[in-house]
C-alpha cells in the first residue's frame, strides 16, 4: 500500500493506515490509543452487535472478567496494537457473532447431551468432542451467512484456519479433515459442499500424496449433513427441537465417519494417540492465554467503569404515579439507525415564522466597522483607523426549552405513515432548533417487553428507530420530562402520536406530573382513526390537535401555542 493516496492533481487526499482495510472501518469511529479504554470501547461495540443476534445472551465480556451466564471472548486477536486495526476488529466481530449464535442455539447443551448419548470408549471421546464442536461451528457459520454478519464470520474462519494450520500434524489427522470441511461447508456461496472434494493444498503433501484419496470418502459423509443444516434445521420453530434434530443428524453420521478416522490422530492435544515433544508448545500456548486472561482481569474494573450504564427510569416513574403496579420498565437506549433527510423546506419557513412570533427579540450590535451607521461612541477613531461605524441586527431567541417525543410503536410501522411522521418531526425540530439550540428530540418504542427511550437527534444529525411494540405514552412522557431542566421560562414537551396509550400507567399521571413540574405538554395526533381521535381528545382535552396532511401543521402549531402560557 502506498504511503499516501494522491489525486490526479497531486494533492494528498488521504493517508492510508495499515490494517484499516476491514469492513468495521466504515462504522467503528470511537477509538482510543489507550489500552484499557480501547478494550472497553471495542467490547461495547461487540455487545451491540451481539444484541442483533439475540436478546437473551447474557453479558459479553473479555475472558478473565467476572461474569455469570454470559459470553467470554478471548482477546488474543486484538491485543497489542491500539487503536485496534479494522481487520482485527472484523475477526473479533466474527468470533462474537458465532459465540452469540452458539448461545442462542444452545450448542453447549447439545454437545453435552451428545457426549452422554454416544458413550464412546475413553480413547475416542476426544475425537467425538472435536466432531461435535466442528459440526456446530459449521451450523452457526451457515446461520450467520443468512445475514450481513456472515462477512465477519468468514474473516474469523479464515483467521482461525490459518492459525490452526500452522500446527497441523502430517496428514491424515482428524482435525485437518474437520477444518477442511469447515472451509467448504461454511463457504458464503453455499454451493461448495455439493462439489466433489479436491485437494486445495496446491499439490501433494510430501510423503502423503493427494489429500483427495485420504479425505474424499469421509468428506462426502460430512458434506451429506450440510444441506439439511442450511435449509431444514433453521426452519424448525423451537430451539429444543432444532437441538434434537441436529444431534440426531450428527450421531447418524458419526458412526460412519468414525470407521475412517478411528486410528487417525486427533490433534496435538489428543491425550491418547499422540505424545511428542511438540506437546510442550501446546502447554506454553495455554500458559500465554492464562497470562493474558490475568492481565484482562486486572483491567476488569477499569473496563466496566468506562461503560455508560443504561439509564433506567422505572423507579423514578413509579415515584410520580398513583397506579404503581401498572408501570412498565422504561430505559434509555442508544441503538439507532441513520435517518434520511426529510425536511420540507417550504414548510420549514412557515414554521419558523410561527415560532419567531413567540420568540424574544434581542438586539445585537457589531461595532468597529469601516462602514455602516455612525457609532457616536467610536467617533474618535475617525481620523485614525476609520472604524467609527456599527451595524445593528435583531436576533430572535426562544427562551422556552422544547423537547419533542415521538411515538414509534407498532401502529407507526406503516411505511407511508412513518415517512410522513419523520417529515413532520424533522421539519418541526429544525424550525425549533434555529431559535433554541438546547432543543432535543426522542422516540419511544417497545422491545423485549421494555419501553425504550432513544434520542434521535445527536451531533447535528437525524437518526431513527424501528417502529415496534406497544404504546407506553405515560412512561415515555414522564421519563422525557425528567430529562428536562425547568428554567425561568416554562419548557415545552411536544408529544407526537397516532393513538392513545395501550400499555403502562396511562397519560393521566403524566399530564399531572408535567403540571407539577411547570412543563407545557402539547400533543399532535398524526393519521389518527376516528376512534383514536376520540381517545386522544378524552386523554388530553384541549392540549391535542390532529393532522391529516402535512400542510395543516402550521395552523395546528399556532392553535396549540394559543392554548398554553409561554411565560
Amino acid at each position: 500500500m502506498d504511503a499516501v493516496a494522491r489525486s490526479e492533481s497531486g494533492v494528498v487526499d488521504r493517508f492510508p493506515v495499515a490494517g484499516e482495510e476491514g469492513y468495521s472501518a466504515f462504522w467503528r469511529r470511537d477509538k482510543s490509543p489507550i489500552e484499557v479504554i480501547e478494550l472497553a470501547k471495542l467490547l461495547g461495540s461487540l455487545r451491540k452487535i451481539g444484541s442483533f443476534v439475540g436478546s437473551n445472551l447474557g453479558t459479553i465480556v473479555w475472558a478473565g472478567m467476572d461474569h455469570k451466564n454470559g459470553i467470554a471472548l478471548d482477546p488474543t486477536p486484538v491485543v497489542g496494537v491500539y487503536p485496534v486495526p479494522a481487520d482485527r476488529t472484523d475477526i473479533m466481530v466474527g468470533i462474537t457473532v458465532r459465540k452469540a449464535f452458539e448461545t442462542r442455539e444452545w450448542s453447549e447443551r447439545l454437545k453435552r447431551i451428545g457426549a452422554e448419548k454416544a458413550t464412546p470408549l475413553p480413547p475416542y471421546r476426544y475425537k467425538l468432542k472435536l466432531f461435535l464442536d466442528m459440526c456446530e461451528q459449521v451450523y452457526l457459520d451457515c446461520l450467520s451467512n443468512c445475514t450481513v454478519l456472515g462477512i465477519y464470520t468468514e474473516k474469523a474462519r479464515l483467521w482461525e484456519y490459518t492459525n490452526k494450520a500452522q500446527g497441523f500434524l502430517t496428514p491424515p489427522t482428524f482435525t485437518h479433515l474437520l477444518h477442511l470441511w469447515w472451509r467448504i461447508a461454511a463457504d458464503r456461496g453455499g454451493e461448495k459442499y455439493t462439489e466433489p472434494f479436491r485437494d486445495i493444498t496446491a499439490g501433494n503433501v510430501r510423503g502423503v500424496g493427494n489429500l483427495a484419496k485420504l479425505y474424499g470418502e469421509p468428506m462426502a459423509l460430512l458434506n451429506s449433513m450440510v444441506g439439511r443444516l442450511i435449509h431444514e434445521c433453521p426452519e424448525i420453530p423451537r430451539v429444543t427441537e432444532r437441538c434434537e434434530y441436529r444431534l440426531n443428524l450428527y450421531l447418524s453420521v458419526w458412526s460412519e465417519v468414525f470407521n475412517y478416522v478411528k486410528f487417525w490422530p486427533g490433534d496435538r492435544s489428543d491425550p491418547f494417540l499422540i505424545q511428542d515433544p511438540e506437546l510442550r508448545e501446546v502447554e506454553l500456548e495455554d500458559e500465554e492465554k492464562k497470562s493474558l486472561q490475568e492481565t484482562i482481569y486486572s483491567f476488569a474494573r477499569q473496563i466496566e467503569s468506562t461503560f455508560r450504564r443504561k439509564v433506567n427510569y422505572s423507579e423514578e416513574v413509579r415515584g410520580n404515579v398513583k397506579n404503581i403496579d401498572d408501570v412498565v420498565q422504561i430505559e434509555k437506549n442508544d441503538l439507532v439507525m441513520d435517518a434520511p433527510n426529510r425536511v420540507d423546506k417550504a414548510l420549514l419557513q412557515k414554521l419558523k415564522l410561527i415560532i419567531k412570533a413567540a420568540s424574544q427579540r434581542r438586539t445585537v450590535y457589531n461595532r468597529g466597522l469601516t462602514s455602516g451607521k455612525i457609532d457616536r461612541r467610536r467617533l474618535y477613531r475617525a481620523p485614525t483607523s476609520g472604524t467609527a461605524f456599527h451595524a445593528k441586527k435583531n436576533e430572535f431567541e426562544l427562551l422556552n426549552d422544547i423537547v419533542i417525543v415521538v411515538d414509534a410503536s407498532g401502529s407507526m410501522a406503516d411505511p407511508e405513515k412513518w415517512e410522513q411522521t419523520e417529515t413532520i418531526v424533522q421539519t418541526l425540530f429544525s424550525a425549533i432548533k434555529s431559535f433554541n439550540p438546547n432543543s432535543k428530540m426522542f422516540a419511544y418504542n417497545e422491545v423485549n417487553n421494555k419501553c425504550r427511550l432513544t434520542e434521535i437527534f445527536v451531533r447535528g444529525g437525524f437518526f431513527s428507530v424501528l417502529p415496534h411494540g406497544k404504546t407506553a405514552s405515560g412512561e415515555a412522557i414522564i421519563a422525557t420530562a425528567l430529562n428536562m431542566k425547568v428554567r425561568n421560562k416554562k419548557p415545552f414537551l411536544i408529544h407526537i402520536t397516532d393513538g392513545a396509550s395501550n400499555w403502562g400507567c396511562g397519560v393521566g399521571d403524566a399530564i399531572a406530573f408535567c403540571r407539577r413540574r411547570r412543563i407545557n405538554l402539547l400533543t399532535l395526533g398524526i393519521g389518527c382513526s376516528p376512534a383514536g381521535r376520540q381517545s386522544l381528545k378524552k386523554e388530553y382535552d384541549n392540549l391535542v390537535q390532529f393532522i391529516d396532511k402535512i400542510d395543516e401543521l402550521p395552523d395546528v402549531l399556532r392553535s396549540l401555542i394559543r392554548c398554553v402560557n409561554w411565560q
Side-chain angles (χ1 to χ4, degrees):
M1 182 181 291
D2 296 335
V4 295
R6 300 179 181 272
S7 62
E8 295 180 358
S9 61
V11 178
V12 176
D13 290 335
R14 62 186 183 278
F15 293 87
V17 179
E20 288 298 315
E21 302 87 359
Y23 297 107
S24 57
F26 292 96
W27 53 264
R28 186 171 181 257
R29 300 294 184 182
D30 191 11
K31 303 180 182 181
S32 173
I34 302 172
E35 182 177 23
V36 176
I37 297 177
E38 174 66 353
L39 289 174
K41 290 179 181 292
L42 178 58
L43 185 59
S45 300
L46 297 177
R47 287 178 176 179
K48 289 182 180 180
I49 291 170
S51 69
F52 287 101
V53 176
S55 58
N56 194 22
L57 303 177
T59 304
I60 298 176
V61 299
W62 295 122
M65 296 171 61
D66 292 332
H67 73 288
K68 293 181 180 179
N69 301 323
I71 298 174
L73 300 173
D74 181 3
T76 303
V78 296
V79 295
V81 179
Y82 308 103
V84 177
D87 56 349
R88 291 285 172 173
T89 303
D90 287 356
I91 294 168
M92 203 68 243
V93 170
I95 294 172
T96 304
V97 170
R98 189 185 304 126
K99 290 277 190 182
F101 274 113
E102 182 180 340
T103 302
R104 196 188 79 177
E105 297 296 317
W106 294 8
S107 294
E108 289 300 322
R109 178 177 181 272
L110 178 146
K111 288 182 277 191
R112 186 180 66 254
I113 295 174
E116 296 171 356
K117 197 171 182 179
T119 61
L121 294 174
Y124 307 120
R125 287 174 186 167
Y126 187 70
K127 282 191 175 67
L128 177 63
K129 178 182 179 300
L130 292 176
F131 174 74
L132 293 176
D133 285 345
M134 188 55 70
C135 287
E136 278 299 277
Q137 286 192 187
V138 168
Y139 171 66
L140 300 174
D141 281 9
C142 289
L143 282 181
S144 69
N145 287 341
C146 299
T147 69
V148 70
L149 299 176
I151 63 177
Y152 296 102
T153 52
E154 183 180 44
K155 281 202 167 188
R157 184 167 59 251
L158 180 60
W159 177 80
E160 290 179 68
Y161 178 86
T162 304
N163 283 353
K164 194 71 175 179
Q166 296 174 4
F168 283 153
L169 299 172
T170 303
T173 64
F174 192 31
T175 188
H176 189 203
L177 169 67
L178 292 175
H179 278 77
L180 289 174
W181 175 55
W182 187 23
R183 291 188 63 183
I184 293 169
D187 182 72
R188 291 186 66 224
E191 298 293 335
K192 273 192 177 182
Y193 73 94
T194 61
E195 304 170 0
F197 175 66
R198 293 179 305 209
D199 187 358
I200 60 174
T201 59
N204 297 341
V205 177
R206 188 170 62 180
V208 176
N210 195 298
L211 292 180
K213 296 179 181 179
L214 294 172
Y215 295 153
E217 293 182 5
M219 185 69 74
L221 287 171
L222 294 171
N223 282 335
S224 66
M225 298 188 292
V226 179
R228 282 175 281 181
L229 291 177
I230 294 176
H231 302 296
E232 296 180 13
C233 187
E235 299 299 322
I236 300 174
R238 296 181 180 274
V239 64
T240 53
E241 294 174 358
R242 291 198 297 272
C243 284
E244 185 179 358
Y245 177 90
R246 298 201 307 276
L247 182 57
N248 292 334
L249 178 62
Y250 299 158
L251 296 182
S252 68
V253 175
W254 163 245
S255 57
E256 297 181 63
V257 172
F258 180 66
N259 291 331
Y260 288 97
V261 304
K262 184 175 183 179
F263 299 108
W264 292 1
D267 58 16
R268 295 186 185 278
S269 300
D270 194 324
F272 287 94
L273 297 181
I274 182 155
Q275 293 291 336
D276 61 22
E278 293 182 348
L279 282 176
R280 179 58 184 162
E281 297 180 10
V282 177
E283 295 175 1
L284 290 174
E285 290 178 4
D286 292 339
E287 290 177 4
E288 290 177 2
K289 287 184 178 180
K290 185 177 179 181
S291 175
L292 181 60
Q293 289 182 5
E294 290 175 354
T295 302
I296 295 297
Y297 182 76
S298 66
F299 291 157
R301 186 171 296 178
Q302 299 176 57
I303 291 174
E304 287 293 346
S305 65
T306 60
F307 283 115
R308 289 184 301 173
R309 298 289 182 183
K310 280 190 176 180
V311 180
N312 194 306
Y313 300 105
S314 305
E315 291 302 320
E316 292 180 87
V317 172
R318 288 192 181 95
N320 290 282
V321 300
K322 295 179 180 178
N323 48 341
I324 298 175
D325 295 336
D326 293 335
V327 175
V328 299
Q329 290 287 323
I330 178 167
E331 63 184 21
K332 195 171 183 180
N333 173 57
D334 59 354
L335 296 177
V336 293
M337 305 177 293
D338 285 328
N341 188 346
R342 301 192 188 278
V343 176
D344 186 321
K345 294 184 178 179
L347 179 63
L348 178 63
Q349 296 304 317
K350 296 178 182 178
L351 295 178
K352 280 185 175 181
L353 291 175
I354 296 172
I355 297 174
K356 183 179 179 180
S359 301
Q360 182 172 321
R361 186 175 67 179
R362 185 163 57 93
T363 302
V364 178
Y365 290 91
N366 189 2
R367 303 181 184 277
L369 303 179
T370 56
S371 62
K373 290 187 176 181
I374 295 176
D375 185 355
R376 59 184 180 181
R377 296 181 180 181
R378 302 289 188 274
L379 288 176
Y380 63 89
R381 294 182 178 179
T384 54
S385 62
T387 56
F389 301 89
H390 74 271
K392 185 172 72 171
K393 182 180 179 181
N394 291 326
E395 293 184 353
F396 291 87
E397 181 181 8
L398 187 59
L399 300 181
N400 306 75
D401 289 341
I402 297 183
V403 176
I404 297 176
V405 58
V406 186
D407 174 7
S409 59
S411 57
M412 286 282 196
D414 179 68
E416 292 184 3
K417 179 185 284 189
W418 186 242
E419 182 177 338
Q420 181 190 39
T421 302
E422 285 190 318
T423 301
I424 291 173
V425 166
Q426 291 186 12
T427 306
L428 176 60
F429 185 78
S430 297
I432 294 170
K433 193 76 174 175
S434 60
F435 295 97
N436 189 327
N438 296 322
S439 303
K440 294 183 179 181
M441 182 163 61
F442 296 88
Y444 66 94
N445 59 356
E446 181 246 326
V447 179
N448 298 324
N449 208 36
K450 291 181 181 179
C451 180
R452 291 190 175 180
L453 187 67
T454 309
E455 190 167 1
I456 55 175
F457 183 85
V458 183
R459 297 175 185 173
F462 288 106
F463 295 90
S464 182
V465 295
L466 187 67
H468 182 271
K470 295 171 280 189
T471 309
S473 300
E475 284 83 350
I477 292 172
I478 294 174
T480 305
L482 289 169
N483 281 319
M484 300 177 70
K485 294 181 180 179
V486 180
R487 307 177 192 274
N488 294 331
K489 298 285 185 176
K490 284 185 179 180
F492 274 73
L493 197 161
I494 301 178
H495 178 218
I496 296 178
T497 184
D498 68 335
S501 174
N502 58 14
W503 189 42
C505 64
V507 299
D509 288 319
I511 295 173
F513 177 75
C514 288
R515 285 173 180 164
R516 290 197 303 271
R517 292 285 295 265
R518 300 182 68 251
I519 296 173
N520 291 315
L521 175 63
L522 313 177
T523 303
L524 296 180
I526 298 177
C528 301
S529 63
R533 284 173 176 256
Q534 187 175 359
S535 298
L536 286 174
K537 196 69 178 176
K538 183 178 180 180
E539 286 183 334
Y540 296 96
D541 196 22
N542 63 335
L543 298 179
V544 61
Q545 295 290 333
F546 301 97
I547 299 174
D548 292 321
K549 298 180 180 178
I550 294 179
D551 296 339
E552 300 173 358
L553 181 59
D555 293 335
V556 169
L557 181 62
R558 188 181 292 110
S559 176
L560 280 173
I561 290 174
R562 290 198 196 105
C563 295
V564 295
N565 180 14
W566 285 81
Q567 301 301 319

